[in-house]
Amino acid sequence: MTERYVLDLQEVDETQVAVVGGKGAHLGGLSRIEGVRVPAGFCVTTDAFRRIMAEAPSLDDRLDQLSRLNPDDREAIRTLSAQIRRTVEGIAVPDDLTAAITRALARLGEQAAYAVRSSATAEDLPTASFAGQQDTYLNVVGPTAILQHVSRCWASLFTERAVTYRQRNGIDHRTVHMAVVVQRMVFPHASGILFTADPVTGNRKVATVDAGFGLGEALVSGLVNPDVFKVRHGEVVAKAIAAKQRAVHALPTGGTQEVAIDSRRQEQPALTDAQVVRLVQLGRRIEAHFGRPQDIEWCLVDDGFQIVQSRPITTLFPIPETGDQENHVYVSVGHQQMMTDPMKPLGLSMWQLTAMVPMHAAGGRLFVDVTRRLAAPASRAGLLDVMGRGDPLVRDALETVLDRDDFVPSLPDAGPGGPPTGGASATIETDPAIVTELIERSQVSIAALERDIRTKTGPALFEFLLEAFAEHKRVLSDPLSMQAIMAGMEATWWLNDTLQEWLGEKNAADTLTLSAPDNVTSEMGLALLDVADVIRPHSEVVAFLQGVEDEGFLDELAKLAGGTEARDAMEAYLDRYGMRCVGEIDITRPRWRERPTTLVPVLLDNVRNFEPGAAERRFEQGRQKAQQKEQDVLSRLRALPDGDRKAGEAKRMIDRVRTFIGYREYPKYAIVSRYFVYKQALLEEAERLVQAGVLPQKEDIFYLTFQELHDVARSNQADDRLIQQRKDAFRSYHALTPPRVLTSDGEAVTGAYRREDVPAGALIGLPVSAGTIEGRARVILDIAEADLEAGDILVTTFTDPSWSPLFVAVAGLVTEVGGLMTHGAVIAREYGLPAVVGVERATRLIRDGQRIRVHGTDGYVEILP
C-alpha cells in the first residue's frame, strides 16, 4: 500500500502527469528515449501530497477563501498564501511516507547529494508552461534534509506567484496537486538550455543553445550572460561568446555558492562547436519523441550530456498543416480583416467556407498561402503592391523572405498565380445609380436568405447553408461590386499620388472624402448620436441606463417616462446594425442584437458629450470641408502650366472617389448581415441538440467546425472530449501573438518601417488620415469599457466597423493593426480624425491617460512629457 507514494523515474512516462506532475512525467519519458541520459531518481507522488493536505483540515477553508480573492488583490493573496505555506511545511510527514522515501534513498545512495524539485500537475503542459512557478533545491544531502525540502516543494504550490498565475488562467487551486522529483545531483563542467526552435523568430529549423560554466542556476537566475550558439542543418551558423565572470558550484556539505571564474577562462566558450552540434542532435531526438519543439535543460559531465528537464516551448506560433515538405509563405488574414484575436472553430470554418480564396488555420487564426503568387515575377509585383498599400509591414516582411534566395521557388509567369491581385479593374462609369443598384441587389439576396432559411432544421438546414454559402460567394465576387470598390480605391490612390506630385500636398484625398455618401459604417456612428438625442431629454431613462447590467433591459424601458420612445429608437438602431460586434468575422462572437448592453456606455458618452442635432451637423461640416477642399485644389491646379487639363482630371477623380468610396464598407456589412442569419439558424439547431441531450449547452457548437456540427446533426452524437480539448486550445491561443507573415519553417516575420524622417523616440506607423492632434490617450481594449471625454485620442489593438460609434466621440486614432483601406482608416478619414495605424505594440508603449501627439499626415505618434 505504501509503495504508491514513491515511483522510480524509470517506472513513469508522460502519460502519468496526474501521478507525478508535469516535470516527473517528462523526466520519465526522457529516460526512455534511446541515447538520452537522465540522472537517476524517484518521484514522491501526488497521493503523498493529498495525504499531507488531509492532515490539516483547516486548509480547506483557506483554499475556499483563496479562490474567492480578486487576482489583483496582491496584499490579500500574499498574506493568505503565506499562511497556507506555513501550515503545509509544519505538517509532520507520516511514518509510512517517511519510510517509503528513505527506502528509495537507500537504493540510490543515502549520503549522496540530490536535487529536490517540485513537479505540479498543471506544469509543462502544451498550453501552459507554468515555468518557474514552483521551487527547486540543489545539492541537498541526507534523509532529514531531503524530507524537509520535499515539504518545502509541497508548500511551493502556494507561492504568491503560482497562486496568481492559476487565478489569472482560471485554474482551480484544488485541481492542482504537487509531486516531488528527487534526483541524484550532477556536478557539471558546463550547463545551460537548448531550444529546439528559435524562441525569438519561431524558426523550427534553427536550434539555440545557451551555455555557461558550472550549474545551470547561474543562467536561469540571470547571474551571467550565456554563450549563445545557433545551429541549422547540423552546423553552427552563429555564435556569441560572453565574458562569464561567475558560476554557481555545489558545496560538499550541501547547498550552492557563487564563485568567480579565472580571468583566463572567462572568454573561453563553455562548449566546443562539435559538442553544440551533438547536443542539438540529442535535442532533435527528444523533440521527435514529444512531437513538438522543446525547451531542454542540459548538463555536460565528463564529455557526456545529461538531460535534467524538457518542456514544450509554449510561445511558438503553430504552423498551418500542409502534409507536404515544400516551403510555404503565409499572410495573416486577421491583419487585413482587423481582427487578430483567436477565432473559435465554428468561426474559422465558416469564414473558410465563405471566403474567396483557400485559407489555412493555425493558432486560432487564418492565413492565406501566397507562395505561388510570390514565385512568378508578375503576380509577385502585383501582390507586393496591393500588400504594400494595405500594410507596409506585410510587404516588408514578404520582401525579407524573398531576399533569402533559396526559400521561395521561381516559377514562370504563366503558372497558376491565382486571380490578378487588382481584381476586376475594367473601368465603370462614375454613376451613383451603380451603388444604389448594388445595395439593392444585396438587400434582395439577404431577404431571400431570411425567408428561405426559416423552415429548415436538422441535416436539411446544413444542406441549405452549403447552398447559401455558394450564393454568399457569388454576391461577394459580383464583378460590378469589385469594380465599384476598386474604382473608389484607385481614385484615392490617384488623388494622393498625383496631387502630391502637382501641388506638393500629402494625403489630399483624406479631406476630399469627408462625409462621402452611402457609407454604412460611418452612418452607423452618426445614427447612435441620433439615438442619444431621443434619450437625452428623459432623465429617468438616462439614470436607468447608467445601472443597466441585464440584456433584457429594453423591455424594462417602457415602464419609464419617455422609455417607449427610447426603446423604439434603440430597437430601430439594432434592426439596422444589431448584427455587428467587435471581431465580427468570427460568427461565434456575441452580436449587439444578442448583447445590447455593449452599446450602453457609448450611448451614455454621446448623451454626455454632445448637443442635440450633432449627427446632422457633423455630416454637413464634413461635406462642406470636402467641398471647400475641392474648390481650393482645383483653383490651385488651374494656376499651373497646362492647368485646365490637370483640374479637369482631378475633378473627374474627385467625383469618382465621392461616388464610390462609401460603398467600400458595404460588402462587409452584407457579409455580417448574412452571418447573423446563419448564426440564428445554427443556434436554434443547437437548442434542439440541447433538448435532445446531445449537447450540454448551446455554445458548445462554437467549438466544432461546420462540417463536424453537420455530422452531429445527422448522428445526434457529439464528442464531449473533443469539445473540451477545443476549449482548452482556444484559451491557450489568446497568449499567442499572430505574425503578419509566417513561413512553413515556423518563422514569424514582422516587417519593419524603413523610415528616416521621424523624430527620435516617436512610435512609427502608417499615416491614414491627415492632420495633427494632441490629447489624452485612452487605451481601450474592450468597447464596453469605453469612457471618453471630448478631445480624447483612442488607442487600441484594432478597430473593425463596430468601433465606429466611438469615432464620433474622439479627436484622433492610433491602432496596432491596419492599413490605408481598412475600416478604421476609411472611417477616420470620413470623420476627419487624424489617425496612425499599424503602430507595433501601441497599447503597451502608450499608457492610458498619457498625453500624446498624433501626426496623421506623416505617420508617427509622440508621447509627450
Side-chain angles (χ1 to χ4, degrees):
M1 186 65 189
T2 55
E3 277 312 302
R4 64 186 186 150
Y5 290 138
V6 171
L7 289 172
D8 196 84
L9 268 183
Q10 303 286 330
E11 295 176 74
V12 300
D13 63 23
E14 52 272 41
T15 61
Q16 287 163 279
V17 172
V19 184
V20 293
K23 190 176 290 154
H26 267 81
L27 284 167
L30 280 167
S31 65
R32 291 163 180 242
I33 305 170
E34 200 181 333
V36 174
R37 290 165 59 202
V38 173
F42 59 88
C43 301
V44 182
T45 65
T46 51
D47 282 345
F49 173 76
R50 275 191 285 270
R51 167 92 187 265
I52 287 295
M53 293 295 279
E55 298 278 322
S58 68
L59 283 171
D60 249 10
D61 296 342
R62 289 195 175 148
L63 286 179
D64 280 343
Q65 280 174 271
L66 198 57
S67 58
R68 288 196 294 271
L69 291 178
N70 181 327
D72 294 322
D73 188 349
R74 295 188 49 187
E75 196 49 50
I77 289 176
R78 185 176 299 132
T79 310
L80 193 52
S81 57
Q83 285 174 4
I84 295 173
R85 283 200 305 281
R86 275 199 303 278
T87 306
V88 173
E89 282 188 41
I91 295 168
V93 181
D95 292 348
D96 53 343
L97 186 44
T98 304
I101 293 171
T102 22
R103 269 201 302 277
L105 283 172
R107 284 199 298 274
L108 292 174
E110 234 175 62
Q111 287 312 309
Y114 289 88
V116 182
R117 314 170 71 190
S118 309
S119 179
T121 53
E123 180 179 70
D124 296 351
L125 307 179
T127 55
S129 81
F130 286 77
Q133 295 299 321
Q134 277 91 35
D135 294 351
T136 285
Y137 301 97
L138 298 178
N139 204 30
V140 183
V141 180
T144 312
I146 285 167
L147 281 166
Q148 186 187 358
H149 285 87
V150 167
S151 283
R152 282 191 188 163
C153 284
W154 288 329
S156 76
L157 190 62
F158 303 102
T159 61
E160 183 189 346
R161 197 172 44 184
V163 166
T164 308
Y165 187 91
R166 289 197 291 273
Q167 285 185 303
R168 289 197 192 290
N169 284 279
I171 296 166
D172 179 355
H173 300 299
R174 291 171 188 283
T175 60
V176 185
H177 298 116
M178 181 65 87
V180 182
V181 176
V182 180
Q183 260 178 308
R184 281 290 294 255
M185 267 296 285
V186 287
F187 300 104
H189 163 71
S191 58
I193 298 162
L194 157 63
F195 296 98
T196 63
D198 188 316
V200 179
T201 67
N203 194 326
R204 311 302 202 262
K205 299 259 173 81
V206 175
T208 302
V209 175
D210 288 5
F213 294 122
L215 291 169
E217 287 304 287
L219 297 190
V220 176
S221 63
L223 183 65
V224 296
N225 289 330
D227 296 339
V228 181
F229 302 85
K230 290 195 183 294
V231 176
R232 188 185 175 102
H233 300 316
E235 63 175 317
V236 175
V237 291
K239 60 179 162 185
I241 306 304
K244 298 167 289 294
Q245 292 165 350
R246 309 191 71 67
V248 173
H249 283 229
L251 292 168
T253 52
T256 60
Q257 81 175 124
E258 279 178 39
V259 293
I261 293 177
D262 182 327
S263 58
R264 285 166 304 195
R265 277 185 68 212
Q266 289 181 5
E267 304 282 347
Q268 276 182 2
L271 295 178
T272 66
D273 284 12
Q275 286 171 328
V276 170
V277 169
R278 210 169 77 221
L279 175 61
V280 169
Q281 285 167 345
L282 266 184
R284 291 278 173 236
R285 205 175 289 174
I286 293 168
E287 177 181 67
H289 174 84
F290 289 117
R292 53 173 56 218
Q294 297 287 304
D295 159 357
I296 298 165
E297 289 178 30
W298 55 269
C299 293
L300 178 66
V301 187
D302 306 329
D303 202 41
F305 287 104
Q306 298 218 22
I307 304 300
V308 293
Q309 172 100 316
S310 184
R311 60 166 81 93
I313 308 175
T314 54
T315 53
L316 297 176
F317 201 87
I319 308 170
E321 286 175 26
T322 55
D324 64 35
Q325 294 302 305
E326 306 293 310
N327 286 350
H328 295 271
V329 182
Y330 302 99
V331 171
S332 158
V333 173
H335 285 82
Q336 291 163 339
Q337 288 294 339
M338 296 300 91
M339 160 60 181
T340 52
D341 291 349
M343 294 166 71
K344 296 192 179 98
L346 184 64
L348 288 168
S349 66
M350 295 281 277
W351 194 259
Q352 285 171 307
L353 286 165
T354 51
M356 304 309 295
V357 292
M359 291 184 176
H360 307 266
R365 278 75 168 190
L366 289 169
F367 295 86
V368 173
D369 186 341
V370 294
T371 323
R372 299 300 290 264
R373 304 240 303 256
L374 285 174
S379 59
R380 176 190 313 149
L383 178 74
L384 289 174
D385 184 49
V386 168
M387 290 293 167
R389 286 187 183 278
D391 183 343
L393 291 175
V394 173
R395 178 180 181 137
D396 188 77
L398 290 173
E399 286 174 336
T400 303
V401 176
L402 285 167
D403 285 344
R404 297 174 194 150
D405 301 334
D406 54 344
F407 195 79
V408 176
S410 282
L411 294 175
D413 270 329
T421 41
S425 60
T427 51
I428 53 173
E429 292 301 307
T430 300
D431 178 1
I434 293 174
V435 172
T436 311
E437 184 197 335
L438 284 168
I439 290 173
E440 271 172 16
R441 277 189 206 176
S442 172
Q443 286 171 337
V444 167
S445 169
I446 291 167
L449 171 68
E450 286 176 323
R451 185 186 64 235
D452 298 342
I453 205 167
R454 279 189 196 131
T455 54
K456 308 288 189 286
T457 71
L461 169 67
F462 291 86
E463 303 299 333
F464 171 80
L465 280 171
L466 288 170
E467 288 168 31
F469 298 162
E471 164 69 1
H472 181 122
K473 288 162 99 162
R474 191 192 64 71
V475 172
L476 266 189
S477 58
D478 177 343
L480 188 63
S481 176
M482 304 287 258
Q483 286 172 343
I485 292 168
M486 286 312 294
M489 284 163 60
E490 283 166 357
T492 304
W493 296 333
W494 187 93
L495 284 166
N496 279 339
D497 295 347
T498 313
L499 294 180
Q500 181 151 12
E501 188 189 324
W502 288 348
L503 297 175
E505 179 157 347
K506 284 184 186 173
N507 305 6
D510 294 1
T511 314
L512 293 166
T513 52
L514 287 172
S515 300
D518 299 313
N519 186 323
V520 69
T521 310
S522 62
E523 285 165 8
M524 177 169 82
L526 298 173
L528 200 62
L529 287 175
D530 290 336
V531 177
D533 285 355
V534 174
I535 288 168
R536 195 178 290 105
H538 305 295
S539 54
E540 246 185 281
V541 172
V542 174
F544 170 76
L545 288 175
Q546 278 161 347
V548 156
E549 283 176 12
D550 178 23
E551 297 303 340
F553 73 92
L554 286 170
D555 298 333
E556 300 291 307
L557 276 174
K559 300 171 187 166
L560 308 172
T564 309
E565 292 159 73
R567 186 192 60 196
D568 292 350
M570 285 196 75
E571 286 286 358
Y573 186 85
L574 289 169
D575 286 344
R576 182 147 166 72
Y577 304 111
M579 76 296 284
R580 308 222 85 145
C581 68
V582 172
E584 61 195 8
I585 69 168
D586 181 353
I587 198 168
T588 72
R589 290 280 191 110
R591 312 280 136 178
W592 289 345
R593 174 47 90 189
E594 297 169 298
R595 204 173 277 177
T597 52
T598 312
L599 287 171
V600 171
V602 190
L603 192 54
L604 289 169
D605 281 348
N606 286 351
V607 167
R608 191 176 68 241
N609 293 335
F610 292 93
E611 297 294 315
E616 201 176 329
R617 276 198 306 283
R618 287 287 291 266
F619 190 78
E620 189 50 35
Q621 281 163 358
R623 209 178 57 76
Q624 283 178 12
K625 263 193 205 158
Q627 222 169 3
Q628 284 159 5
K629 184 71 173 174
E630 178 181 329
Q631 287 162 1
D632 167 55
V633 163
L634 295 179
S635 68
R636 283 159 63 199
L637 286 173
R638 285 192 197 99
L640 297 175
D642 198 14
D644 285 349
R645 179 188 64 80
K646 287 176 175 164
E649 275 187 54
K651 171 67 177 149
R652 274 197 303 283
M653 281 301 179
I654 292 169
D655 290 348
R656 197 165 175 77
V657 83
R658 288 195 70 79
T659 300
F660 291 117
I661 201 66
Y663 178 70
R664 162 82 180 77
E665 290 290 301
Y666 200 84
K668 182 84 171 268
Y669 173 78
I671 291 172
V672 176
S673 300
R674 296 181 75 89
Y675 260 33
F676 193 39
V677 180
Y678 305 153
K679 181 180 189 179
Q680 287 169 303
L682 287 171
L683 281 172
E684 280 176 30
E685 189 56 25
E687 186 57 50
R688 185 185 73 76
L689 291 166
V690 170
Q691 296 301 325
V694 178
L695 291 172
Q697 49 193 28
K698 277 198 307 192
E699 283 72 23
D700 284 350
I701 66 165
F702 297 160
Y703 296 94
L704 298 170
T705 66
F706 180 82
Q707 298 83 338
E708 289 164 348
L709 186 51
H710 190 174
D711 291 341
V712 170
R714 265 199 295 256
S715 66
N716 270 339
Q717 284 181 311
D719 181 345
D720 297 340
R721 239 191 21 252
L722 175 71
I723 290 171
Q724 190 50 52
Q725 277 169 357
R726 294 275 177 77
K727 287 179 179 178
D728 293 342
F730 177 70
R731 235 196 338 264
S732 76
Y733 294 152
H734 281 279
L736 300 173
T737 304
R740 281 178 164 80
V741 170
L742 179 68
T743 73
S744 46
D745 284 354
E747 185 174 2
V749 194
T750 43
Y753 293 108
R754 308 200 183 274
R755 294 195 6 216
E756 305 296 324
D757 57 340
V758 172
L763 309 180
I764 304 177
L766 185 64
V768 294
S769 184
T772 302
I773 190 78
E774 256 183 49
R776 177 177 71 150
R778 292 312 317 266
V779 180
I780 295 173
L781 301 178
D782 177 354
I783 191 169
E785 306 288 307
D787 177 16
L788 296 164
E789 300 291 341
D792 283 350
I793 296 169
L794 173 61
V795 180
T796 188
T797 40
F798 57 80
T799 63
D800 56 16
S802 70
W803 287 75
S804 304
L806 254 61
F807 283 26
V808 297
V810 296
L813 172 72
V814 179
T815 67
E816 294 183 349
V817 178
L820 200 58
M821 283 295 166
T822 45
H823 304 277
V826 173
I827 305 306
R829 290 194 289 273
E830 280 272 316
Y831 288 167
L833 301 177
V836 180
V837 302
V839 179
E840 285 281 276
R841 299 177 53 234
T843 58
R844 277 169 280 182
L845 296 172
I846 299 170
R847 286 200 310 278
D848 187 52
Q850 271 185 324
R851 287 194 69 73
I852 60 172
R853 187 182 296 129
V854 177
H855 295 262
T857 311
D858 294 309
Y860 64 91
V861 180
E862 289 179 282
I863 299 174
L864 302 175

